[in-house]
């Protein structure tokens, strides 16, 4: 079992320490969020990740078509690939807090697809059209994988069709995994490929504590943010129990992007999870939580369902305890699964 981490927020000094710790522990990939209003510039942090690691893949989780021209994204990714000797990927999604916090809306999937294809043409061929105008990338660089987060059936199908890497954000329950895998396969076939051509990562909110209850309590704000991402447009095809559909809709409507990465019980999004009675359901669907033993058992069950790679965001105000638990306790055992 391989593990990837997205390290969100915190000081640059701490970020470098976490990257070095993850590299030493054998974490396979390190991501950095792109949300200019909430934390430091993503490509600067990707550069820090690249120069402070030797083996891990590094890149943004995830930039978007709204705030960056495709030539800017392609150029940054190409430069990171040169810097890291080919360990760079570029994650591209429709946008979330980065666009909401400047008064815009996420890109539609048709726009996202066009953007991904333009970035790929720039990286592979050196030129592309964007909004009817030419763009170019005129310097050599190693190949760069394009990654896409997918949180619903349409996004999964598109990711299967056009992405090299996929972050499946729909959940970790057996029925959700089966459905997501099937849709990815359909998208891959549409793109003239198979699932074997995709580098698939399953997103799970990881927290290792003295009890599962304590671990889930700390994760409420992240459960809210990922529920918002998954259900903000529709619940169709997303395996929502009918008795919870009203509460989930209210969570999606009441979510405040200003507090997207603010940990703690005072986060209004975390309070929504509690008030709407969604904590248990969202934790079961979206997280890997509890004691080390409980988390390892969840990883084993995931492996039995065909999951080979898990990616988790690290978003707490004080990330060091979780990083220590991941790197010192989890990673030595995870490699045996």
């Amino acid at each position: 079992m391989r593990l990837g981490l997205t390290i969100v927020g915190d000081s640059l000094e701490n970020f470098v320490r976490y990257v070095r710790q993850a590299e030493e522990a054998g974490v396979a990939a390190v991501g950095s969020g792109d949300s200019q209003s909430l934390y430091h510039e993503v490509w600067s942090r990707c550069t820090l990740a690249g120069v402070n690691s030797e083996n891990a893949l590094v890149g943004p989780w995830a930039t978007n078509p709204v705030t960056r021209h495709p030539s800017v994204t392609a150029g940054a990714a190409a430069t990171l690939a040169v810097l890291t000797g080919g360990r760079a990927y570029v994650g591209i999604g429709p946008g979330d807090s980065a666009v909401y916090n400047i008064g815009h809306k996420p890109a539609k999937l048709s726009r996202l697809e066009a953007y991904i294809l333009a970035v790929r043409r720039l990286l592979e061929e050196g030129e592309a059209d964007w909004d009817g105008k030419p763009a170019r990338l005129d310097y050599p660089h190693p190949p760069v994988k394009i990654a896409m987060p997918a949180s619903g059936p349409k996004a999964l199908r598109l990711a299967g069709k056009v992405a090299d890497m996929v972050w499946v954000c729909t959940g970790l329950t057996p029925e959700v995994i089966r459905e997501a895998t099937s849709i990815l396969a359909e998208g891959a076939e549409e793109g003239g490929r198979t699932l074997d051509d995709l580098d698939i990562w399953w997103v799970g909110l990881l927290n290792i504590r003295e009890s599962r209850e304590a671990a889930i309590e700390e994760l409420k704000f992240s459960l809210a943010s990922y529920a918002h991402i998954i259900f903000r447009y529709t619940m169709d095809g997303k395996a929502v129990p009918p008795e919870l559909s009203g509460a989930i809709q209210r969570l999606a409507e009441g979510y405040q992007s200003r507090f997207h990465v603010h940990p703690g019980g005072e986060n209004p999004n975390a309070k929504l999870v509690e008030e709407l009675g969604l904590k248990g359901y969202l934790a079961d669907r979206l997280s890997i939580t509890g004691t080390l033993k409980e988390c390892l058992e969840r990883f084993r069950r995931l492996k039995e369902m065909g999951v080979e790679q898990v990616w988790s965001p690290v978003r707490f105000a004080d990330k060091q305890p979780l990083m220590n638990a991941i790197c010192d306790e989890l990673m030595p055992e995870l490699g045996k699964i």
Side-chain angles (χ1 to χ4, degrees):
M1 183 78 76
R2 302 175 77 220
L3 183 67
L5 300 175
T6 295
I7 302 172
V8 177
D10 221 316
S11 70
L12 296 181
E13 180 182 9
N14 285 346
F15 177 77
V16 168
R17 185 172 72 252
Y18 302 144
V19 169
R20 290 173 176 171
Q21 187 176 11
E23 168 73 18
E24 185 176 349
V27 170
V30 174
S32 298
D34 183 6
S35 190
Q36 70 288 330
S37 302
L38 300 180
Y39 33 80
H40 299 109
E41 161 61 26
V42 64
W43 290 107
S44 297
R45 284 183 287 116
C46 288
T47 298
L48 287 172
V51 300
N52 285 282
S53 60
E54 296 180 358
N55 299 297
L57 294 172
V58 294
W61 168 316
T63 192
N64 67 82
V66 179
T67 61
R68 298 181 192 267
H69 190 278
S71 65
V72 174
T73 294
T79 302
L80 186 64
V82 173
L83 180 75
T84 60
R87 290 186 288 117
Y89 66 85
V90 53
I92 305 172
D96 191 71
S97 60
V99 300
Y100 284 127
N101 282 323
I102 58 172
H104 288 261
K105 294 181 179 180
K108 294 183 177 179
L109 286 181
S110 57
R111 180 74 166 176
L112 176 61
E113 179 177 7
Y115 187 89
I116 288 173
L117 294 178
V119 171
R120 173 168 283 126
R121 284 193 292 269
L122 285 164
L123 289 169
E124 295 181 355
E125 302 170 20
E127 58 183 42
D129 288 335
W130 183 245
D131 289 339
K133 298 179 181 179
R136 294 182 178 83
L137 189 67
D138 291 332
Y139 46 90
H141 57 84
V144 179
K145 284 187 174 184
I146 294 180
M148 180 181 154
S151 55
K154 293 180 180 179
L156 284 165
R157 190 169 285 107
L158 176 59
K161 177 183 175 183
V162 303
D164 304 306
M165 292 172 59
V166 183
W167 292 301
V168 184
C169 304
T170 51
L172 300 173
T173 58
E175 65 276 13
V176 171
I177 289 173
R178 286 193 298 268
E179 182 67 12
T181 301
S182 175
I183 296 172
L184 278 175
E186 293 172 3
E189 183 178 7
E190 185 178 348
R193 306 184 296 173
T194 70
L195 283 178
D196 291 337
D197 297 311
L198 302 178
D199 187 7
I200 302 172
W201 293 82
W202 298 84
V203 176
L205 301 171
L206 177 62
N207 195 21
I208 304 170
R209 285 292 305 271
E210 68 278 4
S211 70
R212 189 165 187 268
E213 182 179 354
I216 293 171
E217 186 66 20
E218 285 186 337
L219 272 181
K220 284 191 299 186
F221 78 102
S222 279
L223 294 174
S225 66
Y226 274 78
H228 151 73
I229 290 169
I230 296 169
F231 304 117
R232 59 185 166 179
Y233 301 126
T234 179
M235 286 180 283
D236 293 343
K238 296 182 180 180
V240 177
E243 66 273 16
L244 295 179
S245 60
I248 287 177
Q249 184 175 354
R250 291 194 293 275
L251 174 62
E253 292 172 349
Y255 187 84
Q256 298 183 47
S257 293
R258 178 184 173 188
F259 300 98
H260 188 63
V261 294
H262 287 212
E266 296 306 308
N267 184 318
N269 300 321
K271 290 182 177 180
L272 269 178
V273 168
E274 193 75 60
E275 293 167 0
L276 294 170
L278 292 171
K279 183 170 69 171
Y281 169 72
L282 293 177
D284 289 342
R285 177 165 177 162
L286 302 176
S287 76
I288 302 171
T289 47
T291 64
L292 176 64
K293 182 179 179 181
E294 288 172 320
C295 290
L296 286 170
E297 180 57 31
R298 185 75 190 273
F299 277 111
R300 291 188 186 97
R301 293 199 303 270
L302 289 170
K303 182 68 176 288
E304 291 171 357
M305 290 184 279
V307 172
E308 300 285 347
Q309 302 184 124
V310 171
W311 198 296
S312 181
V314 180
R315 311 171 86 205
F316 299 117
D318 183 2
K319 300 173 179 62
Q320 197 62 68
L322 179 57
M323 288 299 298
N324 290 344
I326 290 172
C327 295
D328 300 340
E329 301 173 28
L330 178 68
M331 286 302 296
E333 300 299 324
L334 201 58
K336 303 173 186 177
I337 296 177

